[in-house]
């Protein structure tokens, strides 16, 4: 009998050991990402002095050449969505204005503001799901700033966040639902999709500073309140990716920078 | 005590009789199946009807005997508790078992096998070949175009906006491939061979009216084959749990006259038109 | 012997007890507690299904509910209550032993089950929620965090809880096997064992053979999840945001084979003891030896064998080779052979009987009916051709709820009413018991039969909102709220049971040693049975387990007039 008892003990002890081991492994994974040093918010940085922000950078983003046509989207799977778009919908990874300027390009200061610590706005950025689309499709937000994601649609959506540096999430939202999320770390761009409606996507530029802009229906952007200095300014377009330029602005100066996609002519 | 016991036995017997009436009424006098729309589907329905009939008979007889025994043998307090010899008991058991196995195997082999063979049998060169690719939570339908060949797809080329299947532009067979979402169009009365792939997890291609259900395994190319024989629009459902949008993974199957399908196909723009380099 | 040193402290008497009866009751109480949780999950599921527009839960929580309801009910209620609970209570008493062969192992098996329960319940509260890949936990859904929210920590805890469950269940099964084979009292030959003990023996054997497959699958899945292996993950899986996964060479089908290699035999692990309980009750309340004791035993053995070679019938549409599908179909419907023998023997046991339709008997008779319906419904699914239509529909849901839900629950209740006097020393209230019976059997049968009709109408299972589709038969769709009303009624009816049990523990009519006039050995021990079961000598067996004659009833230990069995 004693032998059997000890065998049982071996089983138990090894079982518990394996369990702890596995728990440890999975716990460790989460822990590691949590411990990653957060360079952008280290205390070495100076608090932002708004009196310094005198310079402005603005410009337009335009398209050069003949674009590849956008893929049509089939809305038939969800009657609620089809109803709201009687003329159909196309893939919105490239939205051109009539004068060949590009809408929804995210433009931001990539380098040059590392020394400053900017206050994080308390008021949330709003990302709405309306007409089976994310609205806006491209937007900027500061790290740790609340972002309110809401479903203003008659259809059910799920918000699947594919962040790589902050935690991912995947939640379904009924009509009228609201969830407030924050992103821990800067990341350009964070992609949000809806798995139920594959044509839906939102792109979030998450930054440690407020120096960003999204091009409007004239293809124009405008970044204000920059302190004088040397910067790398970057633009992100959904289909064609990132372009960068080096700029220098003086005190109170207004600089114009233009971008052209697919690439500089 | 005894009177109450009789009453309970009577109630239970009555319950079993009512159960028989309800089940026979529920299963026997109403058609629950959605109207069938494929050739082999008629055979599937035949198997179901056969099984309904035979199991129904066994169910009714079994429950009536059960009810009868309950009433009859709860009345006789003294009773004989008579026993049969083990040999006689075994003979009873074996004859019932023999009858039941005949009933069951006829359903599987004699009636069911032809439909199974029609779905999984050898493909014929006349088959209309269409690829259905499942992804959380939708269907992509790909027609091979005039060359009858599907272009190569590579998952590393997948981009949601313009190249959802990762179609390889360099493959000449890709040039005339047509990709649409969620709407499968098939010609009526022609055997359709559906090539099934999944980009992510398990899915299942289910069209109830066609009596077709086939799981789709990532990493495998599966197939199913059926002959739709009634024009109309049917729903494609996912029948294997695939995530939170499983219930929303709805597609449509349109069965149309062959010339209508040809016309529609000729209006479609090849998928590579939309692919951004 | 363990009975010689009776435990004295509270801890050793009621908590870490070695006594099989205490452990059996611990298991039963834990199982009933888990049943309440499983039941509440079911009610939430039913609410969502009947009134989807109210969105009482989110789609991802719905999948967690479905997964956890299935897992808890199959493993933590039925396996635990019926097999671990009644097995521990009755096996030593049935074979004439003072305790299990390994009392310490027995205590350990319960205390391994407790953390398994806690982990399972705890998984609801981790990020992403409880496991959501179905109780079958098919990968890739269960293997990848990207696939479904519940596939994070929840799934890991699910797998760990299952691993602990299997460890515990295997300890229990080994104990059953050894006790039944080695601890039988003098005269208790194998063919004198009560049928219930036979079913415990067979389900222990099936469990020992089948569970390792699931253990292997669970460990491999854990490795796939946490160590980057690809047992179940093929090349080229693409997820938005992650891109193409680096895995290659695995196949999800392997998991399905391993899972169902356990999953199907598991059905019989649950159903056979339910049938065993039914045979015991019918013999005692019909006061007649069961029809065909030997053919029943051989049929049980035949079921055990067949159960190990038919797992593929859960996978007809899975994409495995269609020729293998035909093989599985042919052998699957061969299960009709032993089961029609068992069914005939159950009904035949009523022939020429002297039925007293008291509460346990009502439940036992209900089991016969449910088993009949469940078995016949199985033919639709076992026939590969019709399964093409019925697979993953509500027909399947109705079918397995009738077999491993209704059959087992009715037997569990019947068993509790039947053996309550033995272990508590008091009888349950007969009127409340009968009320409970009717409040259970009517909604249960109605619910699950209506689900069969919904399956015929083509409604798919595991849908958060079935109204997304318009193809199903309109009447089948209209049944949704009615099934939910029945589910609520069923749950409410169980309050009668709870009240009856609690009231009877304190106020029930005092019971004699053998209140039902039954013949098996447990009825020769005092009620409640003391530590060591029999105060003096262990009984010696002289007779068949069910010696009911026209002129009297003899317990197994009564010496034959002629001096032989």
């Amino acid at each position: 009998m004693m032998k059997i008892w000890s065998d049982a003990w071996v089983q138990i002890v090894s079982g518990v050991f394996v369990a702890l081991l596995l728990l440890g492994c999975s716990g460790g994974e989460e822990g590691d990402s949590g411990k990653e040093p957060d360079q952008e918010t280290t205390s070495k940085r100076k608090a932002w002095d708004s009196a310094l922000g005198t310079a402005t950078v603005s410009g337009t983003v335009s398209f050069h050449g003949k674009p590849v046509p956008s893929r049509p989207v089939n809305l038939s799977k969800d009657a609620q969505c089809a109803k709201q778009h009687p003329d159909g919908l196309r893939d919105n990874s490239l939205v051109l204005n009539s004068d060949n300027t590009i809408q929804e390009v995210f433009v931001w200061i990539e380098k040059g503001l590392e020394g400053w610590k900017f206050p994080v706005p308390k008021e949330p950025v709003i990302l709405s799901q309306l007409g089976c689309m994310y609205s806006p499709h491209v937007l900027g937000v500061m790290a740790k700033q609340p972002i309110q994601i809401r479903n203003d649609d008659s259809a059910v959506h799920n918000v699947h966040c594919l962040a790589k540096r902050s935690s991912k999430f995947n939640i379904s939202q009924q009509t009228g639902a609201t969830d407030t999320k924050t992103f821990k770390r800067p990341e350009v761009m964070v992609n949000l999709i809806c798995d139920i409606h594959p044509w839906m996507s939102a792109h979030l530029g998450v930054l440690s500073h407020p120096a960003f802009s999204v091009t409007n229906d004239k293809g124009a952007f405008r970044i204000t309140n920059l302190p004088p200095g040397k910067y790398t300014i970057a633009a992100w377009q959904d289909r064609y990716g990132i372009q960068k330029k080096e700029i220098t602005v003086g005190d109170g100066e207004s600089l114009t920078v233009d971008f052209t996609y697919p690439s500089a002519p | 005590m005894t009177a109450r016991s009789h009453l309970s036995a009577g109630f239970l017997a009555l319950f079993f009789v009512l159960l028989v009436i309800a089940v026979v009424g529920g299963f026997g006098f109403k058609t629950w199946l959605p109207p069938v729309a494929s050739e082999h589907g008629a055979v599937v329905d035949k198997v179901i009807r056969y099984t309904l009939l035979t199991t129904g008979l066994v169910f009714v007889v079994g429950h009536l005997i059960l009810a009868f025994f309950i009433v009859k043998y709860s009345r006789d307090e003294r009773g004989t508790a008579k026993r049969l010899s083990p040999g006689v008991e075994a003979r009873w058991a074996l004859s019932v078992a023999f009858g039941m196995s005949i009933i069951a195997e006829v359903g599987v082999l004699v009636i069911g096998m032809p439909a199974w063979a029609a779905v999984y049998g050898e493909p014929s060169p006349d088959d209309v070949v269409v690829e259905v690719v499942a992804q959380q939570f939708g269907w992509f339908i790909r027609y091979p175009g005039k060359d009858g060949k599907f272009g190569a797809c590579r998952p590393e080329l997948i981009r949601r906006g313009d190249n959802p299947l990762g179609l390889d532009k360099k493959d000449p067979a890709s040039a005339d491939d047509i990709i649409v979402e969620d709407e499968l169009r098939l010609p009526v009365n022609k055997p359709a061979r559906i090539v099934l792939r999944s980009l992510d997890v398990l899915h299942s291609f289910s069209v109830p009216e066609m009596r077709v259900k086939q799981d789709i395994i990532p990493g495998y190319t599966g197939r199913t084959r059926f002959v739709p024989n009634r024009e109309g629009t049917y729903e494609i459902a996912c029948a294997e749990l695939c995530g939170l949008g499983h219930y929303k993974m709805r597609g449509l199957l349109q069965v149309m006259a062959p010339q209508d399908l040809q016309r529609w196909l000729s209006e479609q723009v090849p998928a590579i038109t939309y692919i951004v380099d | 012997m363990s009975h010689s040193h009776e435990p004295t402290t509270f801890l050793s008497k009621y908590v870490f007890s070695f006594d099989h009866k205490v452990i059996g009751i611990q298991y039963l109480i834990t199982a009933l507690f888990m049943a309440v949780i499983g039941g509440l999950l079911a009610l939430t599921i039913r609410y969502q299904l009947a009134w989807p527009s109210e969105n009482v839960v989110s789609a991802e929580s719905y999948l967690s509910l479905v997964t956890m309801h299935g897992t808890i009910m199959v493993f933590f209620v039925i396996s635990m209550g019926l097999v671990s609970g009644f097995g521990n209570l009755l096996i030593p008493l049935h074979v004439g032993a003072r305790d299990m062969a390994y009392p310490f192992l027995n205590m350990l098996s319960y205390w391994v089950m407790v953390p398994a329960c806690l982990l399972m319940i705890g998984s609801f509260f981790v990020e992403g929620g409880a496991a959501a890949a179905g109780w079958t936990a098919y990968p890739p859904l269960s293997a990848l965090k990207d696939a479904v929210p519940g596939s994070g920590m929840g799934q890991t805890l699910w797998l760990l809880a299952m691993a602990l469950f299997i460890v515990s269940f295997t300890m229990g099964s080994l104990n059953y096997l050894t006790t039944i084979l080695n601890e039988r009292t003098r005269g208790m030959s194998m063919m004198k064992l009560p049928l219930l003990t036979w079913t415990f023996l067979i389900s222990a054997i099936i469990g020992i053979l089948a569970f390792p497959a699931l253990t292997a699958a669970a460990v491999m899945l854990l490795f796939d999840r946490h160590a980057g292996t690809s047992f179940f993950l093929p090349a080229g899986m693409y997820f938005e945001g992650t891109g193409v996964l680096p895995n290659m060479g695995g196949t999800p089908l392997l998991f399905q084979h391993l899972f169902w290699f356990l999953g199907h035999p598991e059905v019989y692990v649950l159903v056979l003891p339910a049938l065993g309980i039914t045979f015991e009750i019918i013999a005692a309340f019909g006061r007649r030896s069961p029809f065909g004791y030997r053919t029943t035993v051989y049929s049980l053995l035949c079921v055990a064998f067949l159960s190990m070679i038919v797992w593929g019938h859960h996978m007809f549409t899975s994409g495995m080779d269609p020729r293998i599908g035909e093989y599985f179909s042919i052998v699957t419907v061969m299960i009709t052979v032993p089961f029609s023998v068992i069914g005939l023997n159950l009904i035949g046991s009523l022939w020429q009987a002297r039925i007293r339709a008291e509460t346990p008997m009502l439940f036992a008779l209900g089991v016969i009916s449910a088993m009949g319906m469940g078995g016949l419904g199985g033919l639709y699914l076992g026939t590969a051709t019709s399964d093409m239509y019925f697979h993953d529909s509500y027909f399947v849901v109705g079918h397995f709820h009738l077999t491993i839900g209704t059959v087992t629950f009715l037997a569990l209740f019947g068993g509790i009413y039947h053996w309550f006097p033995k272990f508590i020393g008091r009888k349950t209230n007969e009127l409340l018991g009968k009320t409970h019976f009717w409040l259970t059997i009517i909604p249960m049968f109605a619910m699950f039969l209506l689900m069969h009709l919904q399956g015929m109408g083509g409604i798919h299972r595991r849908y958060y909102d079935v109204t997304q589709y318009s193809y199903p038969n309109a009447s089948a769709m209209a049944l949704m709220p009615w099934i939910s009303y029945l589910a609520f009624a069923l749950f409410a009816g169980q309050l009668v049971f709870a009240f009856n049990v609690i009231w009877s523990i304190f106020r029930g009519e005092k019971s004699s040693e053998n209140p039902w006039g039954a013949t098996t050995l447990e009825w020769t021990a005092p009620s409640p049975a003391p530590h060591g079961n029999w105060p003096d000598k262990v009984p010696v067996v002289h007779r068949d387990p069910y010696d009911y004659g026209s002129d009297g009833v003899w317990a197994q230990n009564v010496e034959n007039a002629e001096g032989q069995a």
Side-chain angles (χ1 to χ4, degrees):
Chain A
M1 241 182 202
M2 271 317 291
K3 192 171 179 317
I4 295 295
W5 290 10
S6 54
D7 283 357
W9 271 117
V10 170
Q11 219 171 351
I12 295 307
V13 170
S14 54
V16 170
F17 178 74
V18 170
L20 289 176
L21 193 72
L22 291 167
L23 273 175
C25 290
S26 54
E29 251 168 54
E30 319 269 323
D32 283 348
S33 55
K35 271 176 261 162
E36 189 184 312
D38 199 350
Q39 296 153 352
E40 287 79 1
T41 53
T42 41
S43 52
K44 273 183 256 167
R45 295 188 290 155
K46 290 176 283 182
W48 168 243
D49 178 2
S50 58
L52 293 172
T54 54
T56 299
V57 180
S58 60
T60 48
V61 182
S62 47
F63 191 85
H64 173 74
K66 195 172 170 290
V68 173
S70 292
R71 201 170 60 87
V73 168
N74 188 346
L75 300 166
S76 68
K77 71 181 296 177
D78 198 323
Q80 300 285 5
C81 300
K83 210 164 59 188
Q84 300 183 67
H85 300 279
D87 303 329
L89 209 60
R90 282 180 175 266
D91 167 50
N92 60 354
S93 59
L94 180 69
V95 185
L96 288 186
N97 301 314
S98 49
D99 57 352
N100 252 15
T101 54
I102 314 178
Q103 258 188 54
E104 296 177 334
V105 177
F106 185 70
V107 184
W108 78 104
I109 299 296
E110 199 212 9
K111 242 187 239 160
L113 288 171
E114 293 77 17
W116 300 104
K117 188 178 174 178
F118 291 91
V120 179
K122 295 252 178 349
E123 63 274 22
V125 171
I126 289 168
L127 176 62
S128 164
Q129 294 151 92
L130 185 60
C132 297
M133 302 286 284
Y134 276 110
S135 164
H137 170 220
V138 175
L139 71 163
V141 62
M142 276 182 71
K144 299 194 176 75
Q145 182 181 5
I147 170 159
Q148 198 185 83
I149 305 169
R150 50 183 218 215
N151 183 358
D152 297 320
D153 235 334
S154 47
V156 179
H157 294 292
N158 78 305
V159 186
H160 191 171
C161 166
L162 306 170
K164 292 189 171 70
R165 301 198 60 219
S166 303
S167 34
K168 293 183 181 191
F169 56 86
N170 189 359
I171 45 172
S172 63
Q173 282 194 329
Q174 309 297 337
T175 301
T178 299
D179 284 276
T180 303
K181 299 276 177 184
T182 52
F183 294 89
K184 261 192 184 161
R185 298 181 193 83
E187 177 178 349
V188 182
M189 306 290 285
V190 173
N191 191 196
L192 264 66
I193 58 174
C194 171
D195 298 295
I196 299 170
H197 307 107
W199 60 85
M200 284 173 68
S201 73
H203 300 272
L204 262 69
V206 184
L207 295 171
S208 57
H209 58 74
F212 55 78
S213 171
V214 178
T215 56
N216 59 14
D217 56 2
K218 297 197 171 53
F221 69 89
R222 186 179 172 81
I223 297 170
T224 54
N225 295 333
L226 274 180
K230 274 185 74 168
Y231 299 102
T232 304
I233 184 167
W236 171 93
Q237 204 283 327
D238 192 356
R239 204 182 260 189
Y240 297 102
I242 292 173
Q243 289 187 7
K244 292 177 187 176
K245 283 187 176 169
E246 305 295 328
I247 53 168
T248 309
V249 286
D251 195 10
E253 190 185 341
S254 284
L255 188 72
T256 304
V257 182
D258 292 335
F259 290 93
T260 309
Y261 280 100
S263 54
Chain B
M1 177 83 181
T2 320
R4 268 229 302 262
S5 166
H6 284 174
L7 202 61
S8 288
F11 273 138
L12 191 61
L14 181 67
F15 172 73
F16 285 144
V17 172
L18 291 175
L19 184 69
V20 166
I21 294 170
V23 168
V24 170
F27 285 86
F29 289 93
K30 183 165 167 54
T31 314
W32 295 89
L33 301 167
V36 65
S38 70
E39 266 179 17
H40 83 276
V43 186
V44 174
D45 284 13
K46 203 158 93 187
V47 175
I48 296 173
R49 277 199 302 276
Y50 166 82
T51 318
L52 272 173
L53 202 72
T54 48
T55 57
L57 202 68
V58 175
F59 167 78
V60 171
V61 171
H63 272 74
L64 291 182
I65 293 176
L66 187 61
F68 172 72
F69 279 3
I70 291 171
V71 173
K72 176 152 170 52
Y73 297 114
S74 63
R75 295 189 162 275
D76 190 357
E77 256 300 302
R78 284 163 297 131
T80 56
K82 193 173 136 193
R83 289 157 75 171
L84 299 170
S85 75
V88 178
E89 288 180 339
R91 241 168 286 153
W92 265 98
L94 287 179
S95 45
V96 169
F98 182 72
M100 282 303 296
S101 63
I102 295 291
I103 287 176
E105 296 295 358
V106 164
V108 173
L109 294 169
V110 181
I111 310 179
M113 192 81 113
W116 190 254
V119 173
Y120 292 109
E122 286 305 305
S124 108
D126 304 337
D127 291 352
V128 176
V129 184
V130 186
E131 187 185 60
V132 172
V133 184
Q135 186 187 20
Q136 286 180 332
F137 300 100
W139 309 90
F140 292 102
I141 318 294
R142 180 155 70 128
Y143 294 87
K146 287 206 177 62
D147 63 355
K149 280 189 217 145
F150 291 113
C153 282
R154 302 185 206 292
E156 58 274 16
L157 298 178
I158 292 175
R159 222 160 22 185
R160 224 177 203 217
D162 59 299
N163 193 1
L165 294 187
L167 189 63
D168 187 353
K169 265 179 120 169
K170 293 194 194 89
D171 186 348
S174 301
D176 56 355
D177 285 11
I178 291 162
I179 299 175
V180 292
E181 290 167 61
D182 298 318
E183 272 178 282
L184 170 61
R185 291 170 175 82
L186 290 176
V188 70
N189 289 328
K190 288 202 173 169
R193 179 158 26 120
I194 313 290
V195 179
L196 295 163
R197 289 198 298 126
S198 164
L199 295 184
D200 40 39
V201 298
L202 292 170
H203 298 277
S204 184
F205 175 79
S206 166
V207 189
E209 283 94 343
M210 299 293 155
R211 308 289 188 263
V212 163
K213 192 172 286 150
Q214 181 62 55
D215 289 11
I216 312 174
I217 311 165
Y220 279 74
T221 304
R223 69 182 155 97
T224 187
R225 190 166 173 270
F226 59 99
V227 185
N229 57 9
R230 193 154 55 80
E231 285 183 37
T233 303
Y234 309 95
E235 282 169 316
I236 303 171
C238 179
E240 185 65 64
L241 181 59
C242 63
L244 62 80
H246 174 47
Y247 73 107
K248 275 254 184 190
M249 198 163 154
R250 174 176 172 270
L252 292 177
L253 163 60
Q254 289 184 27
V255 178
M256 43 174 62
Q259 61 272 23
D260 290 346
L261 180 65
Q262 281 313 320
R263 188 171 342 113
W264 178 82
L265 277 172
S266 64
E267 288 163 3
Q268 298 308 303
V269 181
I272 56 165
T273 319
Y274 301 119
I275 299 176
V276 181
D277 293 303
Chain C
M1 291 300 277
S2 49
H3 76 280
S4 52
H5 28 81
E6 201 161 330
T8 42
T9 64
F10 178 82
L11 216 59
S12 64
K13 201 168 178 179
Y14 297 110
V15 183
F16 297 105
S17 173
F18 286 15
D19 188 321
H20 70 99
K21 298 180 291 297
V22 177
I23 294 171
I25 290 171
Q26 285 176 328
Y27 267 123
L28 264 181
I29 291 173
T30 316
L32 290 174
F33 171 74
M34 293 300 275
V36 174
I37 296 180
L40 289 172
L41 298 180
L43 295 191
T44 323
I45 294 169
R46 284 314 317 178
Y47 194 95
Q48 168 62 32
L49 282 172
W51 299 282
S53 57
E54 291 185 25
N55 300 310
V56 62
V57 289
S58 65
E60 56 270 32
S61 322
Y62 176 79
L63 294 182
S64 292
L65 292 177
V66 170
T67 304
M68 297 304 280
H69 167 72
T71 310
I72 287 177
M73 285 302 196
V74 169
F75 295 107
F76 292 84
V77 178
I78 300 300
S79 298
M80 196 150 86
L82 211 55
V83 184
S84 307
F86 278 110
N88 273 307
L89 282 175
L90 291 169
I91 287 173
L93 281 160
H94 266 179
V95 302
R98 295 220 180 263
D99 207 315
M100 282 287 185
Y102 311 122
F104 177 77
L105 193 66
N106 208 16
M107 178 275 283
L108 214 53
S109 86
Y110 176 74
W111 285 104
V112 171
M113 192 72 93
V114 171
C117 292
L118 294 178
L119 279 181
M120 219 24 119
I121 297 169
S123 74
F124 276 106
F125 305 102
V126 298
E127 194 185 336
W135 81 283
T136 50
Y138 280 3
L141 210 54
S142 59
L144 303 170
K145 277 184 194 164
D146 288 325
V148 68
S151 206
M153 197 56 173
Q155 190 73 45
T156 303
L157 292 180
W158 187 94
L159 284 164
L160 290 174
M162 283 309 297
L164 287 177
F165 171 87
I166 296 170
V167 168
S168 159
F169 205 74
T170 308
M171 286 195 269
S173 296
L174 285 170
N175 226 337
Y176 291 6
L177 197 63
T178 321
T179 308
I180 296 172
L181 293 180
N182 286 354
E183 304 285 305
R184 279 169 292 142
T185 181
R186 201 146 57 81
M188 180 63 90
S189 66
M190 290 305 280
M191 282 300 166
K192 284 197 167 58
L193 282 177
L195 284 169
L196 175 56
T197 301
W198 262 109
T199 59
F200 281 132
L201 175 66
I202 290 166
S203 68
I205 295 172
I206 302 176
I208 289 170
L209 291 176
F211 267 111
L214 183 62
T215 320
V219 171
M220 285 151 92
L221 190 52
L222 276 172
F223 278 128
D224 273 7
R225 290 172 54 79
H226 297 288
T229 57
S230 301
F231 290 109
F232 305 128
L233 300 173
M237 282 183 301
Y238 173 87
F239 285 91
E240 200 65 28
T242 313
V244 183
L245 302 188
N247 304 77
M248 55 172 67
T251 164
L253 268 185
L254 173 61
F255 183 89
Q256 298 185 22
H257 280 292
L258 289 171
F259 182 87
W260 288 115
F261 188 81
L262 157 88
H264 193 71
E266 168 71 7
V267 172
Y268 297 103
V269 170
L270 306 180
V271 166
L272 295 188
L275 294 176
I277 289 176
T278 310
F279 271 113
E280 296 301 318
I281 296 175
I282 285 181
F285 287 86
R287 281 170 293 165
R288 183 200 184 286
S289 174
F291 190 92
Y293 174 92
R294 272 170 192 269
T295 53
T296 305
V297 171
Y298 297 142
S299 299
L300 291 172
L301 290 168
C302 181
V303 168
F305 172 71
L306 285 175
S307 77
M308 306 295 294
I309 60 166
V310 297
W311 74 90
H313 66 224
H314 295 269
M315 300 166 60
F316 285 142
T317 65
S318 70
M320 67 179 179
D321 192 308
R323 285 162 296 189
I324 302 177
E326 254 331 89
Y327 152 76
F328 277 123
S329 188
I330 292 166
V331 289
T332 295
V333 298
M334 285 313 286
I335 293 185
T336 352
V337 172
F339 262 109
S340 40
V341 173
I342 294 171
L344 173 89
N345 288 350
L346 280 168
I347 296 181
S349 302
L350 301 174
W351 178 71
Q352 294 288 356
R354 296 167 291 187
I355 296 169
R356 285 174 307 186
E358 288 177 44
T359 309
M361 185 61 165
L362 293 178
F363 277 100
L365 294 170
V367 171
I368 300 180
S369 169
M371 195 62 225
M373 290 190 290
L376 293 173
L379 279 183
Y380 297 75
L381 304 170
T383 305
T385 312
S386 46
D387 185 62
M388 254 192 299
Y389 178 70
F390 288 121
H391 188 77
D392 266 318
S393 76
Y394 268 83
F395 196 93
V396 179
V397 179
H399 168 71
F400 69 67
H401 276 98
L402 259 187
T403 48
I404 57 170
T406 309
V407 166
T408 50
F409 260 103
L410 291 179
L412 186 71
F413 290 134
I416 290 174
Y417 287 114
H418 185 59
W419 281 289
F420 195 89
K422 178 51 56 191
F423 296 103
I424 306 297
R426 290 171 188 271
K427 280 185 170 184
T428 51
N429 183 289
E430 195 57 24
L431 183 66
L432 287 176
K434 281 180 176 156
T435 313
H436 173 226
F437 169 74
W438 290 110
L439 290 178
T440 303
I441 196 163
I442 294 174
M444 259 192 173
F445 277 27
M447 255 158 72
F448 301 137
L449 282 169
L450 292 180
M451 282 187 190
H452 282 75
L453 295 178
Q454 289 195 309
M456 288 226 155
I459 302 180
H460 285 104
R461 68 191 279 212
R462 289 171 170 171
Y463 272 20
Y464 172 63
D465 177 1
V466 294
T467 61
Q468 296 291 323
Y469 293 83
S470 55
Y471 71 84
N473 187 296
S475 326
M477 294 287 260
L479 292 175
M480 269 300 177
W482 292 102
I483 297 176
S484 297
Y485 290 131
L486 287 164
F488 300 149
L490 176 65
F491 194 83
Q494 304 316 305
L495 297 177
V496 178
F497 170 71
F499 175 77
N500 192 1
V501 165
I502 293 167
W503 185 84
S504 303
I505 287 175
F506 302 103
R507 290 283 153 82
E509 180 195 336
K510 279 246 166 70
S511 163
S512 65
E513 187 176 279
N514 188 0
W516 316 122
T519 53
T520 42
L521 287 183
E522 77 269 31
W523 304 105
T524 65
S527 302
H531 189 71
N533 296 340
W534 289 274
D536 33 273
K537 274 188 189 154
V538 173
V540 175
V541 169
H542 297 281
R543 289 173 184 268
D544 287 340
Y546 313 100
D547 207 349
Y548 297 91
S550 47
D551 47 349
V553 175
W554 296 277
Q556 273 190 292
N557 63 342
V558 176
E559 269 182 67
N560 225 322
E562 294 85 41
Q564 68 246 356

